[in-house]
Amino acid sequence: MPGLIGPKDYSQEPSRHPSLKINAKEPFNAEPPRAALISSYVTPVDYFYKRNHGPIPIVDNVERYSLAVGGLLKKPIQLSMAEIRKLPKYNVTATLQCAGNRRTAMSKSRTVRGVGWDAAAIGNAIWGGAKLSDVLELVGISKHSSVTLSGGKHVEFISIDRCKEENGGPYKASIPLQQATNPDADVLLAYEMNGKILNRDHGYPLRVVVPGVIGARSVKWLDSIKISEEECQGFFMQKDYKTFPPSVNWDNINWSTRRPQMDFPVQCAICSLEDEDVVKQGKIKVSGYAVSGGGRGIERVDISVDGGKTWMEAQRFQKGDGPYSSDDLNGDKWAWVLFEAVVDIPEKAEIIAKAVDSAANVQPENVETIWNLRGILNTSWHRVQVRKDSCVANSSL
Ligand SMILES: Nc1nc2c(c(=O)[nH]1)N[C@H]1C(S)=C(S)[C@@H](COP(=O)(O)O)O[C@H]1N2
Ligand SMILES: [Mo]
């Protein structure tokens, strides 16, 4: 609600599942063990990564909460939760991924700045809520508009939480009006996650979900929406979450030369194995997730056990029992696929996974070529080094 302000300190944080790996305590940033991601297509809320920039807001009286919609509008409005719930409700299965997913691996190539993440800063949830395009219609902005009568071209989301990057101001981001008013872009104001009321960590009572786009634009604890001529000038849009070439360092960086990152590129990771694992004799199962941004589905996942000399194709799954095929009309276009391949491995193996999306984009082979000083979007081939247990035959000695 205009005026609701998040707490200043971390004394009232919610409780969290003990199996989460904490990458930073205050603000709270944590991810599940990789293996937790492949036990179900829809990630349980407890195991869903948590990425914050400040203390978690407390909205204890939802009756008093309201969302302000204003900016370049003749008639700004306020919407209560009851009014938002009265709009048609949609359930959208969408994978949310932090742009910093796999940053730790990028920092091993060269130092980067930012919270370290392994490969589980990602999760797939069923988000329930109203479409942003329906909310914008309430203030007279029609579907499929790229500019309003008063010159609005962007939709800015402003939150309740306070963060130090904004000098104590709210977290914010924006998306183009065209995407916001396109019902098929499925941008939601979500009040449910996996069929339950959104919890505090994930944005209670209301958050934005922008499918196919880096997590940073899916603003949690939404306070207000502003229609504006310019894209959001906040820190996270202008001074962060941009992708720079490997030649740019902290001395020569010029933030204004790059656009804010929106869609995420094709990504995959092996989750059934960790580096240094000792695997048993015989065939082993290699499984993980693969996803691409912008609604581009996953066309293929390739697996190699010999450092990339030869490849085999993994099977893909979404919901339902059978393997997923790219022309599956019931497929969830904003969601990951889980993949699985059964392989024979040599004594010492580097197992590699790489995914190809529906536009035939493929993950880059090496992290060095995509290194950037903020360590975002590490989508290089995912590799794990494992060793075969050679002692099995002798184990009774
Ligand atoms: N208000 C607010 N919204 C936010 C953030 C935040 O710190 N404050 N973090 C963003 C980032 S960087 C990501 S990756 C996602 C994480 O969402 P989750 O914690 O629900 O997984 O929320 C985004 N929305
Ligand atoms: Mo993020």
Side-chain angles (χ1 to χ4, degrees):
M1 146 175 14
L4 243 185
I5 293 179
K8 284 208 179 68
D9 64 27
Y10 294 91
S11 59
Q12 296 175 82
E13 295 285 285
S15 62
R16 283 110 178 184
H17 198 276
S19 73
L20 292 178
K21 290 190 285 181
I22 299 175
N23 298 326
K25 224 170 161 185
E26 296 179 349
F28 188 79
N29 288 295
E31 66 188 303
R34 262 190 236 170
L37 294 182
I38 44 172
S39 46
S40 57
Y41 170 61
V42 172
T43 312
V45 175
D46 277 352
Y47 292 118
F48 205 97
Y49 80 99
K50 304 183 193 329
R51 201 314 177 218
N52 300 301
H53 291 83
I56 309 297
I58 304 168
V59 177
D60 47 13
N61 188 350
V62 83
E63 313 266 288
R64 290 221 317 266
Y65 169 88
S66 68
L67 171 73
V69 187
L72 286 177
L73 286 177
K74 280 216 184 71
K75 263 204 197 143
I77 60 168
Q78 299 258 353
L79 292 169
S80 67
M81 269 315 294
E83 287 168 310
I84 292 167
R85 284 174 172 277
K86 271 197 208 115
L87 292 168
K89 183 188 169 188
Y90 294 87
N91 281 311
V92 175
T93 306
T95 298
L96 202 67
Q97 176 176 216
C98 181
N101 193 27
R102 304 183 54 205
R103 176 181 282 136
T104 299
M106 185 175 279
S107 71
K108 284 179 183 152
S109 147
R110 226 190 321 157
T111 310
V112 300
R113 264 187 216 168
V115 177
W117 296 93
D118 185 44
I122 186 168
N124 190 45
I126 305 172
W127 307 97
K131 279 200 187 177
L132 178 59
S133 57
D134 288 338
V135 171
L136 294 178
E137 236 172 18
L138 297 178
V139 289
I141 303 175
S142 39
K143 303 256 156 87
H144 300 288
S145 318
S146 48
V147 53
T148 66
L149 292 175
S150 33
K153 288 190 191 141
H154 299 269
V155 179
E156 184 166 341
F157 310 118
I158 301 154
S159 75
I160 295 170
D161 63 332
R162 294 292 186 260
C163 36
K164 60 174 189 313
E165 292 88 342
E166 290 284 8
N167 298 315
Y171 184 96
K172 50 194 182 182
S174 69
I175 61 170
L177 187 78
Q178 192 152 44
Q179 185 176 14
T181 56
N182 177 3
D184 299 328
D186 288 331
V187 181
L188 288 190
L189 301 189
Y191 44 80
E192 279 181 14
M193 185 176 182
N194 298 349
K196 297 219 178 73
I197 290 181
L198 202 62
N199 75 9
R200 275 182 63 205
D201 259 329
H202 295 288
Y204 178 81
L206 193 67
R207 81 171 298 169
V208 183
V209 174
V210 190
V213 164
I214 62 164
R217 314 304 177 211
S218 289
V219 174
K220 306 195 272 189
W221 313 289
L222 189 60
D223 175 79
S224 53
I225 291 178
K226 197 173 124 195
I227 310 301
S228 49
E229 204 179 303
E230 266 199 318
E231 92 193 348
C232 167
Q233 294 300 302
F235 180 89
F236 299 102
M237 287 288 284
Q238 302 303 335
K239 296 272 169 79
D240 201 354
Y241 298 116
K242 290 185 174 186
T243 314
F244 286 88
S247 58
V248 171
N249 58 45
W250 292 106
D251 297 323
N252 64 15
I253 189 167
N254 178 354
W255 287 98
S256 67
T257 57
R258 299 282 151 188
R259 292 183 296 175
Q261 186 68 41
M262 300 305 277
D263 287 6
F264 54 78
V266 59
Q267 171 75 291
C268 84
I270 296 165
C271 299
S272 57
L273 298 163
E274 305 255 350
D275 269 330
E276 317 284 313
D277 272 359
V278 177
V279 299
K280 58 181 190 313
Q281 300 276 353
K283 290 189 179 296
I284 63 159
K285 200 154 84 179
V286 177
S287 43
Y289 65 76
V291 67
S292 191
R296 288 176 293 279
I298 292 296
E299 183 62 27
R300 206 174 80 221
V301 180
D302 299 326
I303 306 291
S304 173
V305 296
D306 56 11
K309 284 193 213 87
T310 60
W311 299 89
M312 67 175 286
E313 190 177 346
Q315 279 201 317
R316 288 161 289 145
F317 302 86
Q318 276 196 337
K319 58 197 171 185
D321 309 324
Y324 171 82
S325 81
S326 311
D327 52 13
D328 185 350
L329 293 176
N330 296 315
D332 292 320
K333 70 182 282 201
W334 306 114
W336 65 18
V337 298
L338 298 181
F339 68 81
E340 198 177 295
V342 176
V343 297
D344 247 331
I345 62 158
E347 280 317 307
K348 262 185 114 177
E350 179 177 65
I351 305 186
I352 305 175
K354 69 170 158 79
V356 179
D357 74 12
S358 62
N361 294 306
V362 61
Q363 294 174 248
E365 180 170 346
N366 294 306
V367 69
E368 288 76 21
T369 55
I370 51 168
W371 181 94
N372 60 89
L373 73 175
R374 278 291 280 114
I376 66 168
L377 301 178
N378 179 8
T379 55
S380 58
W381 292 2
H382 193 235
R383 302 159 191 265
V384 286
Q385 329 280 337
V386 300
R387 213 157 35 81
K388 194 147 74 174
D389 183 355
S390 51
C391 305
V392 172
N394 300 330
S395 62
S396 58
L397 293 180

